[in-house]
Amino acid sequence: MNKEVSDRIAVVRLLLIGEIVLTHTRPEYAGHYPITSFVQNMLSNQLPISTLPLFFLISGLLLFHEGYLTFDLYQTKVRKRLRTLIVPYIVWNLIALFVQIVGQLVPFTQPFFSGRTMEIDHLRPIELFDAFLGFHGSPING
C-alpha cells in the first residue's frame, strides 16, 4: 500500500474515532435553539450509523489490499489480529476484575464497588467467567 492511501485511511479513521467519541459524550440537553438540537442530532444520532460499517469496510480493504489472499497469508493475518485484539481484551478485563475484587474487599472502597455492580464474592466460577467475557451481558470492564 502506498503512503498516500495509507494517509487517507488514517484521516478517515481519525474522523471515525472522533465521531464515536462524540456519540458517547453527547449532552442530554441541547438548548432551546433548533439549530443546536439539529447539530446534536446529526452528530450523535445520524452520523454514527455509518461509523461501524466504515470501520469494517476499512478492515476488509486492509485484509485484501495485496489483491490476493492465500491460506498462509490468512493464517498470518489472523494470528496478528489475535495478538492485537484478544490479548489486550483479556489483559484489560483481568485488570478490571482485579480492581473490582480489591474494591469490594477493602472496607474503605466497598461503597464505591457494590450496589449497582455484581458482588464478586457471591459469584460461582462459571458466573465469574461469564462476567469476565461478557457472554450474557456486559463484561466486567463494561
Side-chain angles (χ1 to χ4, degrees), residues 60-83:
L61 287 172
L62 293 176
L63 184 65
F64 294 107
H65 80 275
E66 287 97 0
Y68 62 91
L69 189 64
T70 64
F71 184 71
D72 292 333
L73 183 60
Y74 180 74
Q75 272 186 320
T76 303
K77 288 181 182 269
V78 167
R79 282 191 191 115
K80 183 179 178 186
R81 300 301 189 283
L82 284 174
R83 267 195 319 273

PDB file of all heavy atoms in Angstrom, residues 60-83:
ATOM      1  N   GLY A  60     -11.739  -4.716   5.970  1.00  0.00           N
ATOM      2  CA  GLY A  60     -11.769  -5.628   4.829  1.00  0.00           C
ATOM      3  C   GLY A  60     -10.834  -5.197   3.723  1.00  0.00           C
ATOM      4  O   GLY A  60     -10.155  -6.031   3.104  1.00  0.00           O
ATOM      5  N   LEU A  61     -10.776  -3.892   3.465  1.00  0.00           N
ATOM      6  CA  LEU A  61      -9.844  -3.393   2.446  1.00  0.00           C
ATOM      7  C   LEU A  61      -8.399  -3.689   2.828  1.00  0.00           C
ATOM      8  O   LEU A  61      -7.587  -4.071   1.980  1.00  0.00           O
ATOM      9  CB  LEU A  61     -10.033  -1.890   2.242  1.00  0.00           C
ATOM     10  CG  LEU A  61     -11.294  -1.459   1.511  1.00  0.00           C
ATOM     11  CD1 LEU A  61     -11.430   0.057   1.549  1.00  0.00           C
ATOM     12  CD2 LEU A  61     -11.284  -1.958   0.090  1.00  0.00           C
ATOM     13  N   LEU A  62      -8.087  -3.515   4.097  1.00  0.00           N
ATOM     14  CA  LEU A  62      -6.716  -3.777   4.532  1.00  0.00           C
ATOM     15  C   LEU A  62      -6.396  -5.277   4.537  1.00  0.00           C
ATOM     16  O   LEU A  62      -5.252  -5.668   4.333  1.00  0.00           O
ATOM     17  CB  LEU A  62      -6.475  -3.188   5.918  1.00  0.00           C
ATOM     18  CG  LEU A  62      -6.505  -1.663   5.974  1.00  0.00           C
ATOM     19  CD1 LEU A  62      -6.348  -1.175   7.407  1.00  0.00           C
ATOM     20  CD2 LEU A  62      -5.428  -1.066   5.084  1.00  0.00           C
ATOM     21  N   LEU A  63      -7.411  -6.107   4.747  1.00  0.00           N
ATOM     22  CA  LEU A  63      -7.195  -7.549   4.719  1.00  0.00           C
ATOM     23  C   LEU A  63      -6.847  -8.014   3.310  1.00  0.00           C
ATOM     24  O   LEU A  63      -6.001  -8.888   3.128  1.00  0.00           O
ATOM     25  CB  LEU A  63      -8.446  -8.276   5.223  1.00  0.00           C
ATOM     26  CG  LEU A  63      -8.345  -9.796   5.342  1.00  0.00           C
ATOM     27  CD1 LEU A  63      -7.323 -10.181   6.406  1.00  0.00           C
ATOM     28  CD2 LEU A  63      -9.699 -10.378   5.677  1.00  0.00           C
ATOM     29  N   PHE A  64      -7.475  -7.417   2.302  1.00  0.00           N
ATOM     30  CA  PHE A  64      -7.273  -7.843   0.918  1.00  0.00           C
ATOM     31  C   PHE A  64      -6.466  -6.847   0.097  1.00  0.00           C
ATOM     32  O   PHE A  64      -6.530  -6.867  -1.124  1.00  0.00           O
ATOM     33  CB  PHE A  64      -8.627  -8.065   0.234  1.00  0.00           C
ATOM     34  CG  PHE A  64      -9.412  -9.190   0.807  1.00  0.00           C
ATOM     35  CD1 PHE A  64     -10.526  -8.938   1.592  1.00  0.00           C
ATOM     36  CD2 PHE A  64      -9.046 -10.502   0.572  1.00  0.00           C
ATOM     37  CE1 PHE A  64     -11.262  -9.977   2.128  1.00  0.00           C
ATOM     38  CE2 PHE A  64      -9.773 -11.545   1.109  1.00  0.00           C
ATOM     39  CZ  PHE A  64     -10.882 -11.287   1.892  1.00  0.00           C
ATOM     40  N   HIS A  65      -5.706  -5.956   0.732  1.00  0.00           N
ATOM     41  CA  HIS A  65      -5.044  -4.906  -0.046  1.00  0.00           C
ATOM     42  C   HIS A  65      -3.942  -5.424  -0.958  1.00  0.00           C
ATOM     43  O   HIS A  65      -3.540  -4.741  -1.882  1.00  0.00           O
ATOM     44  CB  HIS A  65      -4.515  -3.782   0.858  1.00  0.00           C
ATOM     45  CG  HIS A  65      -3.223  -4.077   1.541  1.00  0.00           C
ATOM     46  ND1 HIS A  65      -3.153  -4.767   2.722  1.00  0.00           N
ATOM     47  CD2 HIS A  65      -1.951  -3.767   1.194  1.00  0.00           C
ATOM     48  CE1 HIS A  65      -1.886  -4.879   3.078  1.00  0.00           C
ATOM     49  NE2 HIS A  65      -1.141  -4.274   2.185  1.00  0.00           N
ATOM     50  N   GLU A  66      -3.461  -6.667  -0.727  1.00  0.00           N
ATOM     51  CA  GLU A  66      -2.460  -7.235  -1.644  1.00  0.00           C
ATOM     52  C   GLU A  66      -3.088  -7.693  -2.949  1.00  0.00           C
ATOM     53  O   GLU A  66      -2.394  -7.941  -3.923  1.00  0.00           O
ATOM     54  CB  GLU A  66      -1.724  -8.424  -1.007  1.00  0.00           C
ATOM     55  CG  GLU A  66      -0.733  -8.034   0.064  1.00  0.00           C
ATOM     56  CD  GLU A  66      -1.342  -8.167   1.450  1.00  0.00           C
ATOM     57  OE1 GLU A  66      -2.520  -8.556   1.564  1.00  0.00           O
ATOM     58  OE2 GLU A  66      -0.642  -7.859   2.417  1.00  0.00           O
ATOM     59  N   GLY A  67      -4.420  -7.850  -2.955  1.00  0.00           N
ATOM     60  CA  GLY A  67      -5.100  -8.292  -4.164  1.00  0.00           C
ATOM     61  C   GLY A  67      -5.372  -9.781  -4.172  1.00  0.00           C
ATOM     62  O   GLY A  67      -6.145 -10.270  -4.966  1.00  0.00           O
ATOM     63  N   TYR A  68      -4.761 -10.525  -3.310  1.00  0.00           N
ATOM     64  CA  TYR A  68      -4.974 -11.969  -3.223  1.00  0.00           C
ATOM     65  C   TYR A  68      -4.860 -12.353  -1.751  1.00  0.00           C
ATOM     66  O   TYR A  68      -4.307 -11.630  -0.937  1.00  0.00           O
ATOM     67  CB  TYR A  68      -3.937 -12.730  -4.042  1.00  0.00           C
ATOM     68  CG  TYR A  68      -2.527 -12.503  -3.567  1.00  0.00           C
ATOM     69  CD1 TYR A  68      -1.946 -13.341  -2.618  1.00  0.00           C
ATOM     70  CD2 TYR A  68      -1.776 -11.435  -4.039  1.00  0.00           C
ATOM     71  CE1 TYR A  68      -0.659 -13.113  -2.157  1.00  0.00           C
ATOM     72  CE2 TYR A  68      -0.490 -11.197  -3.581  1.00  0.00           C
ATOM     73  CZ  TYR A  68       0.058 -12.046  -2.645  1.00  0.00           C
ATOM     74  OH  TYR A  68       1.324 -11.816  -2.186  1.00  0.00           O
ATOM     75  N   LEU A  69      -5.372 -13.509  -1.417  1.00  0.00           N
ATOM     76  CA  LEU A  69      -5.301 -13.970  -0.044  1.00  0.00           C
ATOM     77  C   LEU A  69      -5.081 -15.476  -0.055  1.00  0.00           C
ATOM     78  O   LEU A  69      -6.002 -16.242  -0.301  1.00  0.00           O
ATOM     79  CB  LEU A  69      -6.582 -13.618   0.714  1.00  0.00           C
ATOM     80  CG  LEU A  69      -6.552 -13.852   2.207  1.00  0.00           C
ATOM     81  CD1 LEU A  69      -5.520 -12.964   2.888  1.00  0.00           C
ATOM     82  CD2 LEU A  69      -7.911 -13.593   2.823  1.00  0.00           C
ATOM     83  N   THR A  70      -3.854 -15.886   0.187  1.00  0.00           N
ATOM     84  CA  THR A  70      -3.556 -17.310   0.292  1.00  0.00           C
ATOM     85  C   THR A  70      -3.855 -17.774   1.711  1.00  0.00           C
ATOM     86  O   THR A  70      -4.040 -16.970   2.618  1.00  0.00           O
ATOM     87  CB  THR A  70      -2.080 -17.573  -0.040  1.00  0.00           C
ATOM     88  OG1 THR A  70      -1.268 -16.921   0.939  1.00  0.00           O
ATOM     89  CG2 THR A  70      -1.728 -17.062  -1.427  1.00  0.00           C
ATOM     90  N   PHE A  71      -3.871 -19.076   1.894  1.00  0.00           N
ATOM     91  CA  PHE A  71      -4.150 -19.622   3.220  1.00  0.00           C
ATOM     92  C   PHE A  71      -3.068 -19.233   4.219  1.00  0.00           C
ATOM     93  O   PHE A  71      -3.368 -18.880   5.361  1.00  0.00           O
ATOM     94  CB  PHE A  71      -4.288 -21.147   3.149  1.00  0.00           C
ATOM     95  CG  PHE A  71      -4.677 -21.757   4.458  1.00  0.00           C
ATOM     96  CD1 PHE A  71      -5.961 -21.588   4.960  1.00  0.00           C
ATOM     97  CD2 PHE A  71      -3.762 -22.476   5.206  1.00  0.00           C
ATOM     98  CE1 PHE A  71      -6.325 -22.136   6.178  1.00  0.00           C
ATOM     99  CE2 PHE A  71      -4.114 -23.024   6.424  1.00  0.00           C
ATOM    100  CZ  PHE A  71      -5.401 -22.861   6.912  1.00  0.00           C
ATOM    101  N   ASP A  72      -1.809 -19.246   3.791  1.00  0.00           N
ATOM    102  CA  ASP A  72      -0.710 -18.865   4.689  1.00  0.00           C
ATOM    103  C   ASP A  72      -0.802 -17.386   5.081  1.00  0.00           C
ATOM    104  O   ASP A  72      -0.590 -17.033   6.239  1.00  0.00           O
ATOM    105  CB  ASP A  72       0.646 -19.135   4.034  1.00  0.00           C
ATOM    106  CG  ASP A  72       0.920 -20.616   3.861  1.00  0.00           C
ATOM    107  OD1 ASP A  72       0.360 -21.412   4.660  1.00  0.00           O
ATOM    108  OD2 ASP A  72       1.669 -20.972   2.940  1.00  0.00           O
ATOM    109  N   LEU A  73      -1.114 -16.541   4.127  1.00  0.00           N
ATOM    110  CA  LEU A  73      -1.270 -15.117   4.421  1.00  0.00           C
ATOM    111  C   LEU A  73      -2.455 -14.887   5.358  1.00  0.00           C
ATOM    112  O   LEU A  73      -2.377 -14.090   6.298  1.00  0.00           O
ATOM    113  CB  LEU A  73      -1.457 -14.332   3.118  1.00  0.00           C
ATOM    114  CG  LEU A  73      -1.562 -12.821   3.236  1.00  0.00           C
ATOM    115  CD1 LEU A  73      -0.296 -12.237   3.859  1.00  0.00           C
ATOM    116  CD2 LEU A  73      -1.812 -12.211   1.866  1.00  0.00           C
ATOM    117  N   TYR A  74      -3.544 -15.627   5.137  1.00  0.00           N
ATOM    118  CA  TYR A  74      -4.713 -15.518   6.014  1.00  0.00           C
ATOM    119  C   TYR A  74      -4.368 -15.948   7.438  1.00  0.00           C
ATOM    120  O   TYR A  74      -4.741 -15.283   8.402  1.00  0.00           O
ATOM    121  CB  TYR A  74      -5.862 -16.363   5.454  1.00  0.00           C
ATOM    122  CG  TYR A  74      -7.102 -16.317   6.298  1.00  0.00           C
ATOM    123  CD1 TYR A  74      -7.913 -15.189   6.299  1.00  0.00           C
ATOM    124  CD2 TYR A  74      -7.453 -17.392   7.102  1.00  0.00           C
ATOM    125  CE1 TYR A  74      -9.056 -15.129   7.083  1.00  0.00           C
ATOM    126  CE2 TYR A  74      -8.592 -17.343   7.885  1.00  0.00           C
ATOM    127  CZ  TYR A  74      -9.388 -16.218   7.868  1.00  0.00           C
ATOM    128  OH  TYR A  74     -10.504 -16.167   8.649  1.00  0.00           O
ATOM    129  N   GLN A  75      -3.643 -17.057   7.575  1.00  0.00           N
ATOM    130  CA  GLN A  75      -3.216 -17.517   8.909  1.00  0.00           C
ATOM    131  C   GLN A  75      -2.366 -16.466   9.609  1.00  0.00           C
ATOM    132  O   GLN A  75      -2.545 -16.197  10.802  1.00  0.00           O
ATOM    133  CB  GLN A  75      -2.412 -18.822   8.800  1.00  0.00           C
ATOM    134  CG  GLN A  75      -3.234 -20.059   8.834  1.00  0.00           C
ATOM    135  CD  GLN A  75      -2.342 -21.285   8.863  1.00  0.00           C
ATOM    136  OE1 GLN A  75      -1.316 -21.341   8.186  1.00  0.00           O
ATOM    137  NE2 GLN A  75      -2.736 -22.267   9.646  1.00  0.00           N
ATOM    138  N   THR A  76      -1.437 -15.873   8.898  1.00  0.00           N
ATOM    139  CA  THR A  76      -0.580 -14.837   9.464  1.00  0.00           C
ATOM    140  C   THR A  76      -1.411 -13.646   9.935  1.00  0.00           C
ATOM    141  O   THR A  76      -1.207 -13.128  11.042  1.00  0.00           O
ATOM    142  CB  THR A  76       0.451 -14.378   8.420  1.00  0.00           C
ATOM    143  OG1 THR A  76       1.198 -15.504   7.973  1.00  0.00           O
ATOM    144  CG2 THR A  76       1.395 -13.339   8.983  1.00  0.00           C
ATOM    145  N   LYS A  77      -2.353 -13.220   9.108  1.00  0.00           N
ATOM    146  CA  LYS A  77      -3.183 -12.074   9.471  1.00  0.00           C
ATOM    147  C   LYS A  77      -4.072 -12.384  10.672  1.00  0.00           C
ATOM    148  O   LYS A  77      -4.245 -11.535  11.551  1.00  0.00           O
ATOM    149  CB  LYS A  77      -4.022 -11.630   8.279  1.00  0.00           C
ATOM    150  CG  LYS A  77      -3.196 -10.943   7.210  1.00  0.00           C
ATOM    151  CD  LYS A  77      -4.058 -10.488   6.067  1.00  0.00           C
ATOM    152  CE  LYS A  77      -3.228  -9.843   5.000  1.00  0.00           C
ATOM    153  NZ  LYS A  77      -3.078  -8.422   5.162  1.00  0.00           N
ATOM    154  N   VAL A  78      -4.635 -13.584  10.751  1.00  0.00           N
ATOM    155  CA  VAL A  78      -5.489 -13.952  11.884  1.00  0.00           C
ATOM    156  C   VAL A  78      -4.669 -14.018  13.164  1.00  0.00           C
ATOM    157  O   VAL A  78      -5.098 -13.547  14.217  1.00  0.00           O
ATOM    158  CB  VAL A  78      -6.233 -15.275  11.607  1.00  0.00           C
ATOM    159  CG1 VAL A  78      -6.868 -15.828  12.868  1.00  0.00           C
ATOM    160  CG2 VAL A  78      -7.276 -15.072  10.524  1.00  0.00           C
ATOM    161  N   ARG A  79      -3.475 -14.596  13.106  1.00  0.00           N
ATOM    162  CA  ARG A  79      -2.613 -14.636  14.293  1.00  0.00           C
ATOM    163  C   ARG A  79      -2.273 -13.228  14.777  1.00  0.00           C
ATOM    164  O   ARG A  79      -2.277 -12.953  15.979  1.00  0.00           O
ATOM    165  CB  ARG A  79      -1.331 -15.409  13.995  1.00  0.00           C
ATOM    166  CG  ARG A  79      -1.508 -16.888  13.996  1.00  0.00           C
ATOM    167  CD  ARG A  79      -0.167 -17.601  13.964  1.00  0.00           C
ATOM    168  NE  ARG A  79      -0.389 -19.008  13.716  1.00  0.00           N
ATOM    169  CZ  ARG A  79       0.010 -19.664  12.645  1.00  0.00           C
ATOM    170  NH1 ARG A  79       0.705 -19.036  11.707  1.00  0.00           N
ATOM    171  NH2 ARG A  79      -0.253 -20.929  12.493  1.00  0.00           N
ATOM    172  N   LYS A  80      -1.974 -12.347  13.840  1.00  0.00           N
ATOM    173  CA  LYS A  80      -1.657 -10.967  14.206  1.00  0.00           C
ATOM    174  C   LYS A  80      -2.868 -10.295  14.848  1.00  0.00           C
ATOM    175  O   LYS A  80      -2.735  -9.593  15.852  1.00  0.00           O
ATOM    176  CB  LYS A  80      -1.212 -10.186  12.976  1.00  0.00           C
ATOM    177  CG  LYS A  80      -0.801  -8.774  13.285  1.00  0.00           C
ATOM    178  CD  LYS A  80      -0.334  -8.041  12.048  1.00  0.00           C
ATOM    179  CE  LYS A  80       0.016  -6.607  12.387  1.00  0.00           C
ATOM    180  NZ  LYS A  80       0.325  -5.824  11.215  1.00  0.00           N
ATOM    181  N   ARG A  81      -4.071 -10.509  14.284  1.00  0.00           N
ATOM    182  CA  ARG A  81      -5.285  -9.919  14.863  1.00  0.00           C
ATOM    183  C   ARG A  81      -5.546 -10.474  16.261  1.00  0.00           C
ATOM    184  O   ARG A  81      -5.987  -9.748  17.146  1.00  0.00           O
ATOM    185  CB  ARG A  81      -6.516 -10.183  13.987  1.00  0.00           C
ATOM    186  CG  ARG A  81      -6.487  -9.651  12.578  1.00  0.00           C
ATOM    187  CD  ARG A  81      -6.320  -8.166  12.472  1.00  0.00           C
ATOM    188  NE  ARG A  81      -6.489  -7.623  11.151  1.00  0.00           N
ATOM    189  CZ  ARG A  81      -5.616  -7.676  10.159  1.00  0.00           C
ATOM    190  NH1 ARG A  81      -4.501  -8.343  10.302  1.00  0.00           N
ATOM    191  NH2 ARG A  81      -5.859  -7.087   9.015  1.00  0.00           N
ATOM    192  N   LEU A  82      -5.290 -11.762  16.457  1.00  0.00           N
ATOM    193  CA  LEU A  82      -5.479 -12.342  17.786  1.00  0.00           C
ATOM    194  C   LEU A  82      -4.559 -11.671  18.798  1.00  0.00           C
ATOM    195  O   LEU A  82      -4.964 -11.373  19.918  1.00  0.00           O
ATOM    196  CB  LEU A  82      -5.235 -13.850  17.764  1.00  0.00           C
ATOM    197  CG  LEU A  82      -6.348 -14.692  17.157  1.00  0.00           C
ATOM    198  CD1 LEU A  82      -5.923 -16.153  17.069  1.00  0.00           C
ATOM    199  CD2 LEU A  82      -7.623 -14.560  17.945  1.00  0.00           C
ATOM    200  N   ARG A  83      -3.313 -11.443  18.393  1.00  0.00           N
ATOM    201  CA  ARG A  83      -2.366 -10.784  19.307  1.00  0.00           C
ATOM    202  C   ARG A  83      -2.768  -9.347  19.590  1.00  0.00           C
ATOM    203  O   ARG A  83      -2.626  -8.870  20.704  1.00  0.00           O
ATOM    204  CB  ARG A  83      -0.952 -10.813  18.714  1.00  0.00           C
ATOM    205  CG  ARG A  83      -0.110 -11.971  19.126  1.00  0.00           C
ATOM    206  CD  ARG A  83       1.361 -11.767  18.814  1.00  0.00           C
ATOM    207  NE  ARG A  83       1.656 -11.158  17.530  1.00  0.00           N
ATOM    208  CZ  ARG A  83       1.796 -11.818  16.384  1.00  0.00           C
ATOM    209  NH1 ARG A  83       1.658 -13.120  16.366  1.00  0.00           N
ATOM    210  NH2 ARG A  83       2.077 -11.184  15.281  1.00  0.00           N
TER     211      ARG A  83
END
